[in-house]
Amino acid sequence: MSDIGRLRAARDSVLLWFAPARVQDEGTTPDYRFSLANERTFLAWIRTALALIGGGFAVDQFLTDHLTHWARLVLSLGLLAAGVACTLRAVNHWVRCERAMRLGTNLPVSRFPAALAVVVAVLAIAMVTVVLAGWAG
């Protein structure tokens, strides 16, 4: 597929985020239990995103005496960025799974959960390092 074809496919996918009724035009209606399970998964991703965003704000607002400005900035922006990515990925994954179920194809695979886990682990290690350095200093 050409670059223009990939861009069009990405654009069409994003447009489906805001017009989920168009998804219903494809394939056949899956068992409602599967659609509801897909929605619960979406909501779990949104809860994860909210926790990451809340953690980003908490680091920025409440660790003012314990961390340097740059450490707070890097950690809070990392958590906020992970929350934004998780939010966008949630809706993208929901649409892709709904389409796959309607078309009777395999559910889409994703590296995003592993990437998110690595980002959160790196941020957690950075936070532990900064906290330990603050206690030692």
Side-chain angles (χ1 to χ4, degrees):
M1 182 184 288
S2 70
D3 289 340
I4 291 177
R6 280 191 208 91
L7 287 174
R8 285 185 181 144
R11 180 201 63 203
D12 292 344
S13 178
V14 170
L15 290 176
L16 284 176
W17 297 0
F18 302 102
R22 283 187 38 217
V23 174
Q24 293 178 341
D25 294 339
E26 298 182 47
T28 59
T29 303
D31 185 330
Y32 291 106
R33 294 174 293 179
F34 299 127
S35 288
L36 292 173
N38 189 28
E39 187 173 321
R40 284 190 301 274
T41 302
F42 167 78
L43 293 172
W45 280 104
I46 294 297
R47 284 190 302 271
T48 301
L50 287 171
L52 290 165
I53 291 167
F57 280 117
V59 166
D60 184 56
Q61 295 298 309
F62 300 119
L63 296 180
T64 56
D65 295 338
H66 304 289
L67 299 177
T68 67
H69 170 72
W70 289 108
R72 272 194 355 260
L73 183 66
V74 168
L75 292 174
S76 62
L77 287 179
L79 287 166
L80 291 168
V84 168
C86 194
T87 301
L88 295 174
R89 184 63 182 141
V91 70
N92 186 349
H93 187 72
W94 175 79
V95 168
R96 290 174 61 216
C97 285
E98 194 66 28
R99 288 181 78 205
M101 288 187 296
R102 296 187 73 78
L103 297 173
T105 62
N106 290 334
L107 291 177
V109 296
S110 175
R111 292 184 187 101
F112 185 78
L116 181 64
V118 168
V119 167
V120 170
V122 167
L123 288 169
I125 291 168
M127 291 175 88
V128 167
T129 303
V130 168
V131 168
L132 290 176
W135 281 353

